């Protein structure tokens, strides 16, 4: 990888190089099959380079991409014998994973004998091989049993890790101001960089009720602690398995999740944290609202209430949650035939940047004679107000109207009334931002 990067002029000052290498390594190490060009580009998102531009870096790593099926065997995990797995280092079946602790040795031996295989990552610099240096995930960490934790830190900081919802609710009753964390991607920044002090932190990453991911007849139930990567995977799965008209929202979410946060962050950041942070430029909250999602909220006594996402956001980083309540799960309904959900995001940079303006839009059309008439709709903008803002007047205008060019022109006028930005609006660029709404 290093050699390919250097030969393609993908490394200059070298500051970003370790990050790119590690991202690529993680992809190769965890993929069962050689990745596609698109997967490689996706895995590199989250790494920024100020020297080279990205073309030489992407070109350097495209040598690992599977571009032509004819060059590969058809081995996949379904072809494997019991006890075997597809070794990410060799692409061949082997048993090194099941033998565990000395994986690299086993793998090298078995594949070399059976398939006359030579390691592909030979280093011309020190003569060592990739497999000689292969690190494995520490087995102790894999084998360790999960236990509830209670840790004390500096300045009276308390950190809890409950494993049951009942224990979590008891902690929340005892410490109403406790901050819940999963990947710590928001709270960590607040504490380290903004110097915000939280006395009690509760890690909810392992509470089963917050990690559900159920496909139901009428939609998808998503636990609040489900990681963004898991959610992305589930969306991709249901798109393949369900009728196309049902997954318009899922497709919009996939597109929107693609542009924010690198894979490393998506692997640990959770859906509920992203929602409850209630950022006015949240990329997903306008979509939850537009898609008609419902949030389930549980209080310390175990009572559950449901609220439409549309009504959950009350003001700048303010949501409809009392100190004794937590977000339990999100329900995303399937879209109906002739119901469409679409995302929008404009930022300075395509990947990994906060939005200047974003939006989630839904329209449900009904056939009336020859015409298609708007039966229901919701258009929500981010980046134009202290909270994700629903374009109420535009919605009222378009409902009942024919879906045509005239409707579009009329809607744009109402949008200017709904999305009103003062000259001195925070964030500036008022004319620029308004131009995206119209
Ligand atoms: Fe300098 Fe990427 S090579 S930042």
């Amino acid at each position: 990888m290093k050699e390919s990067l250097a030969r393609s002029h993908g490394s200059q000052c070298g500051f970003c190089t370790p990050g790119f290498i590690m991202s690529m390594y993680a992809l190769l190490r965890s993929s069962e099959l050689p990745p596609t060009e698109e997967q490689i580009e996706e895995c590199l998102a989250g790494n920024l380079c100020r020297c080279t531009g990205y073309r030489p870096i992407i070109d350097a790593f495209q040598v690992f991409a599977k571009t032509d099926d004819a060059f590969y065997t058809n081995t996949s995990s379904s072809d494997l014998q019991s006890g075997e797995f597809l070794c990410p280092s060799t692409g061949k079946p082997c048993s090194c994973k099941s033998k565990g602790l000395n994986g690299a040795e086993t793998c090298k031996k078995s594949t070399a004998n059976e398939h006359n295989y030579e390691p592909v990552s030979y280093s011309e610099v020190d003569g060592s091989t990739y497999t000689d240096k292969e690190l494995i995930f520490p087995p102790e960490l894999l084998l360790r049993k999960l236990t509830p934790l209670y840790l004390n830190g500096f300045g009276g900081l308390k950190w809890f890790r409950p494993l049951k919802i009942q224990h979590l609710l008891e902690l929340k009753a005892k410490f109403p101001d406790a901050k819940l964390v999963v990947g710590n991607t928001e709270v960590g920044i607040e504490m380290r960089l903004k110097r915000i002090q939280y006395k009690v932190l509760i890690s909810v990453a392992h509470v089963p009720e917050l990690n559900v991911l159920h496909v139901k007849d009428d939609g998808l139930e998503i636990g609040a602690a489900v990681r963004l990567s898991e959610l992305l995977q589930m969306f991709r799965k249901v798109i393949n398995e369900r009728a196309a008209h049902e997954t318009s929202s899922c497709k919009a979410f996939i597109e929107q999740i693609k542009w924010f946060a690198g894979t490393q962050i998506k692997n640990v950041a959770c859906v509920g944290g992203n929602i409850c942070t209630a950022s006015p430029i949240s990329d997903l909250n306008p979509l939850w609202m537009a898609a008609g999602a419902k949030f389930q909220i549980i209080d310390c006594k175990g009572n559950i209430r449901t609220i439409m996402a549309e009504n959950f956001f009350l003001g700048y980083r303010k949501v409809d949650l009392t100190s004794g309540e937590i977000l339990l799960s999100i329900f995303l309904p399937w879209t109906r035939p002739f119901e469409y959900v679409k995302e929008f995001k404009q930022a300075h940079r395509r990947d990994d940047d906060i939005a200047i303006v974003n939006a989630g839009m839904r329209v449900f059309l009904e056939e009336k004679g020859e015409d298609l008439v708007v039966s229901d709709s919701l258009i929500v903008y981010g980046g134009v107000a202290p909270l994700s803002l629903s374009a109420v007047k535009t919605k009222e205008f378009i409902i009942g109207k024919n879906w045509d060019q005239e409707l579009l022109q009329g809607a744009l006028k109402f949008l200017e009334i709904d999305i009103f930005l003062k000259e001195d609006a925070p964030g500036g660029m008022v004319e620029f931002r308004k131009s995206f709404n119209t």
Side-chain angles (χ1 to χ4, degrees):
M1 269 187 266
K2 282 182 289 181
E3 191 182 324
S4 180
L5 203 59
R7 286 190 177 170
S8 302
H9 308 291
S11 180
Q12 288 180 28
C13 79
F15 190 80
C16 68
T17 306
F20 278 104
I21 298 268
M22 288 312 295
S23 293
M24 193 61 215
Y25 173 79
L27 179 69
L28 293 177
R29 189 74 178 82
S30 53
S31 304
E32 283 195 351
L33 296 170
T36 61
E37 293 181 358
E38 200 186 3
Q39 284 171 326
I40 290 177
E41 282 200 32
E42 203 178 309
C43 94
L44 299 179
N47 294 285
L48 304 179
C49 177
R50 62 189 173 174
C51 300
T52 67
Y54 296 96
R55 181 47 54 197
I57 297 173
I58 289 170
D59 287 347
F61 290 138
Q62 290 302 0
V63 298
F64 299 104
K66 179 179 184 178
T67 50
D68 188 340
D69 286 347
F71 294 148
Y72 296 88
T73 61
N74 287 327
T75 312
S76 75
S77 36
S78 53
D79 303 325
L80 303 175
Q81 312 276 322
S82 102
E84 281 189 334
F85 91 121
L86 201 60
C87 179
S89 302
T90 65
K92 307 284 182 190
C94 79
S95 55
C96 61
K97 191 177 184 186
S98 61
K99 293 203 172 152
L101 306 188
N102 195 10
E105 267 307 301
T106 317
C107 170
K108 195 171 133 192
K109 231 185 282 167
S110 63
T111 51
N113 293 342
E114 290 161 23
H115 308 285
N116 204 20
Y117 169 76
E118 292 297 327
V120 288
S121 299
Y122 181 79
S123 164
E124 291 171 2
V125 180
D126 61 8
S128 63
T129 59
Y130 174 68
T131 49
D132 285 342
K133 292 186 171 179
E134 184 83 40
L135 295 175
I136 57 170
F137 191 87
E140 275 180 36
L141 295 183
L142 282 177
L143 299 174
R144 192 176 285 243
K145 255 190 185 170
L146 270 180
T147 48
L149 291 177
Y150 166 38
L151 305 172
N152 282 304
F154 291 116
L157 179 76
K158 296 182 192 325
W159 190 88
F160 295 92
R161 183 178 74 181
L163 300 182
K164 294 187 172 155
I165 186 85
Q166 193 49 42
H167 187 192
L168 167 61
L169 298 179
E170 284 163 17
L171 287 169
K172 194 69 176 117
K174 195 168 170 196
F175 305 105
D177 295 329
K179 203 75 180 162
L180 307 192
V181 293
V182 174
N184 207 27
T185 54
E186 176 77 14
V187 175
I189 290 173
E190 288 178 345
M191 292 182 77
R192 280 181 67 103
L193 303 179
K194 298 183 185 168
R195 301 280 168 216
I196 297 176
Q197 297 292 322
Y198 295 114
K199 289 285 176 203
V200 182
L201 297 173
I202 305 175
S203 167
V204 297
H206 299 288
V207 176
E209 289 80 355
L210 270 66
N211 280 284
V212 296
L213 204 39
H214 290 153
V215 177
K216 297 186 157 181
D217 289 343
D218 49 352
L220 201 55
E221 187 188 358
I222 305 153
V226 166
R227 317 306 190 271
L228 294 175
S229 297
E230 293 174 288
L231 184 64
L232 207 47
Q233 254 176 21
M234 177 53 92
F235 282 148
R236 286 180 175 141
K237 183 168 175 277
V238 293
I239 280 175
N240 285 330
E241 291 175 355
R242 298 198 70 90
H245 71 262
E246 290 185 319
T247 55
S248 182
S249 301
C250 303
K251 288 168 197 140
F253 272 99
I254 288 177
E255 281 307 306
Q256 200 74 320
I257 293 175
K258 211 190 262 179
W259 304 126
F260 76 91
T263 306
Q264 301 90 325
I265 299 295
K266 284 181 212 157
N267 285 345
V268 294
C270 72
V271 186
N274 187 273
I275 291 171
C276 292
T277 297
S279 163
I281 44 157
S282 162
D283 285 330
L284 296 190
N285 287 343
L287 267 179
W288 292 122
M289 293 166 71
K294 292 175 192 163
F295 296 160
Q296 282 214 311
I297 291 160
I298 187 166
D299 70 12
C300 294
K301 293 187 180 134
N303 303 313
I304 294 176
R305 69 181 170 99
T306 303
I307 182 169
M308 295 296 293
E310 192 186 346
N311 303 323
F312 185 67
F313 303 97
L314 304 178
Y316 180 70
R317 294 191 182 264
K318 199 166 178 307
V319 295
D320 184 7
L321 275 183
T322 64
S323 56
E325 292 180 318
I326 63 168
L327 179 62
L328 181 66
S329 64
I330 299 109
F331 178 76
L332 180 69
W334 306 128
T335 40
R336 299 163 279 184
F338 292 106
E339 186 169 32
Y340 304 96
V341 175
K342 194 76 190 125
E343 82 298 336
F344 170 78
K345 175 172 178 176
Q346 180 66 41
H348 288 289
R349 189 181 56 230
R350 201 176 61 157
D351 282 290
D352 274 329
D353 200 359
I354 55 174
I356 298 169
V357 177
N358 54 22
M361 295 163 259
R362 177 176 57 88
V363 67
F364 177 43
L365 305 172
E366 267 180 346
E367 280 178 301
K368 283 213 175 141
E370 301 269 287
D371 298 321
L372 284 173
V373 173
V374 179
S375 170
D376 192 15
S377 170
L378 195 56
I379 301 170
V380 183
Y381 274 89
V384 294
L387 72 171
S388 301
L389 192 70
S390 178
V392 181
K393 289 198 164 52
T394 312
K395 170 181 170 169
E396 282 168 9
F397 169 76
I398 67 173
I399 286 182
K401 302 237 172 9
N402 282 1
W403 182 252
D404 56 20
Q405 194 62 23
E406 204 179 314
L407 171 129
L408 176 66
Q409 294 309 323
L412 291 178
K413 290 201 181 81
F414 279 91
L415 214 44
E416 280 185 52
I417 302 169
D418 276 323
I419 314 295
F420 178 72
L421 280 167
K422 289 191 200 149
E423 286 308 309
D424 59 348
M429 299 185 289
V430 170
E431 287 307 314
F432 183 59
R433 283 151 78 195
K434 275 190 343 199
S435 71
F436 291 113
N437 304 338
T438 54

